Amino acid sequence: EMDIASAPAEVVVPPARQALVSAPVNGLVARILADAGEAVTRGQPVAELEGPEVLSWQREYLDARLEDELATAQETRDQSLYEEGIIAERRLQEARARARGSQARLDQARRQLELAGFTAEGLEALGEGGSLADRIVLRAPLDGVVLERFTSVGARVSALDPLMRLADLSELWLELQVRQEVAADVLPGMFVSVLVAGKEHRSTITTVGRFVDDTTQTVLVRAVLEQADVRLRAGQYLTARIVAPLLSDTALAIPAAAVTRHVGEAYVFARREGAIEVVPVEVLADDGVRVYVAASSLDAGARLAVEGISVLKSLWLAED
């Protein structure tokens, strides 16, 4: 393999694997059931809130449920009466419209309580005559770990205030800020290598940024750790190496921009001991992004030019 660059790497949780637990209503934090660093499973209670709105929502749900039952029963009766020719079609249509409206109100009331943490079993028990709950149970939206807690017991919160941030840590990213002068050598499919407790971990580069940070003059490079080591922690900084993989024992992938051709032969410009040398290479394959050359063509760790190739070629040919 060939070393392409080295840079500090930050361990990052992908945004799609993060979630917030927020307050659905204004209220008081009654209990905290999971704290930062704790593992949780989807649906597990993580906090409880007290608030008057939860009682009114339950009453709205019970009223909507009763209204829906009455409207459905009326629609059924009117259907029978219409079929017997006792009532006009218009009355049946009115009954159907009332039933559809009552069903929509019931769905809205049910959804409101589901967002407040009520389970299907809890709603059914409430509808069957169960007592009104004076607390809202907030549940984990995913399997993962509590990264941060933003509140405490006794705190007053408003609707949509974040209470906790959770993350699924089964996949992590490594984000590197690579110096712009060597970023052109970095391609998706290359590896990022880091050492964790003396053990090497490799991840595959999926993204190479298309712009340069105007402050640091670096380019973002992202790699995916699909099976992250438990000793890797979000926010952790590591020293990383970017390496071009060997396709086999005899093949090496290099950027296509590094290769120039002359009289049917392929060459690269390699830096060796401070000087630029012209090195012939044996091309095995070319996919337009990478050129696969015989590994024997290049020394391990060779630094290749990928910009200004036409100028270097002109200077080289002028010497002949």
Side-chain angles (χ1 to χ4, degrees):
E1 64 186 25
M2 177 185 293
D3 278 16
I4 302 298
S6 61
E10 181 182 5
V11 181
V12 175
V13 180
R17 293 181 178 267
Q18 300 183 47
L20 282 177
V21 175
S22 303
V25 297
N26 301 329
L28 184 76
V29 179
R31 296 179 70 193
I32 298 291
L33 303 174
D35 207 348
E38 290 188 36
V40 294
T41 57
R42 181 183 178 91
Q44 176 182 329
V46 294
E48 292 181 2
L49 294 184
E50 291 179 351
E53 283 181 274
V54 66
L55 294 174
S56 64
W57 285 4
Q58 290 172 87
R59 295 190 188 97
E60 289 174 12
Y61 170 74
L62 293 175
D63 291 345
R65 183 173 171 131
L66 177 58
E67 179 187 350
D68 183 63
E69 290 175 354
L70 294 175
T72 301
Q74 184 65 51
E75 181 187 16
T76 301
R77 285 194 298 270
D78 285 358
Q79 179 69 41
S80 298
L81 293 174
Y82 172 73
E83 292 173 354
E84 293 172 9
I86 298 175
I87 63 172
E89 183 180 4
R90 179 180 177 181
R91 178 172 163 180
L92 174 60
Q93 291 174 344
E94 291 174 348
R96 286 174 176 170
R98 285 193 296 272
R100 286 195 296 269
S102 65
Q103 180 63 53
R105 286 187 287 274
L106 176 58
D107 289 343
Q108 180 180 352
R110 179 187 293 113
R111 181 58 178 160
Q112 197 167 236
L113 288 179
E114 287 174 347
L115 290 174
F118 281 73
T119 62
E121 294 78 9
L123 289 173
E124 187 62 30
L126 178 62
E128 295 298 326
S131 58
L132 300 182
D134 59 356
R135 290 185 177 182
I136 295 174
V137 179
L138 304 182
R139 302 176 184 278
L142 48 73
D143 294 339
V145 172
V146 179
L147 293 185
E148 297 177 272
R149 174 169 60 87
F150 306 115
T151 190
S152 57
V153 173
R156 292 195 175 276
V157 294
S158 301
L160 302 182
D161 279 354
L163 307 181
M164 297 179 184
R165 184 164 67 98
L166 283 66
D168 173 5
L169 301 182
S170 60
E171 178 185 301
L172 294 173
W173 287 348
L174 288 176
E175 291 191 344
L176 293 72
Q177 298 296 331
V178 178
R179 291 179 295 111
Q180 59 91 15
E181 59 265 27
V182 297
D185 297 347
V186 181
L187 298 171
M190 291 182 176
F191 296 138
V192 173
S193 173
V194 294
L195 287 177
V196 181
K199 181 180 179 182
E200 183 187 34
H201 290 269
R202 289 200 166 188
S203 53
T204 303
I205 292 177
T206 58
T207 303
V208 178
R210 301 295 299 274
F211 68 93
V212 177
D213 185 284
D214 58 0
T215 301
T216 62
Q217 290 296 290
T218 58
V219 173
L220 172 68
V221 173
R222 180 180 297 130
V224 175
L225 284 162
E226 295 181 351
Q227 293 183 335
D229 190 297
V230 294
R231 290 166 293 188
L232 284 168
R233 294 173 172 82
Q236 181 178 7
Y237 280 89
L238 301 164
T239 299
R241 293 186 304 121
I242 298 175
V243 295
L246 281 171
L247 301 178
S248 68
D249 291 339
T250 59
L252 180 69
I254 62 175
V259 178
T260 188
R261 289 174 169 80
H262 180 62
V263 195
E265 299 296 326
Y267 301 85
V268 295
F269 295 95
R271 179 181 294 277
R272 291 177 177 169
E273 298 180 356
I276 300 295
E277 295 185 15
V278 181
V279 180
V281 291
E282 179 186 355
V283 175
L284 303 177
D286 183 351
D287 64 9
V289 177
R290 304 177 188 84
V291 173
Y292 306 106
V293 302
S296 58
S297 302
L298 291 171
D299 297 334
R303 296 290 302 278
L304 305 181
V306 293
E307 294 182 353
I309 297 298
S310 59
V311 175
L312 291 173
K313 184 176 180 180
S314 298
L315 294 173
W316 167 47
L317 296 178
E319 294 176 357
D320 293 340

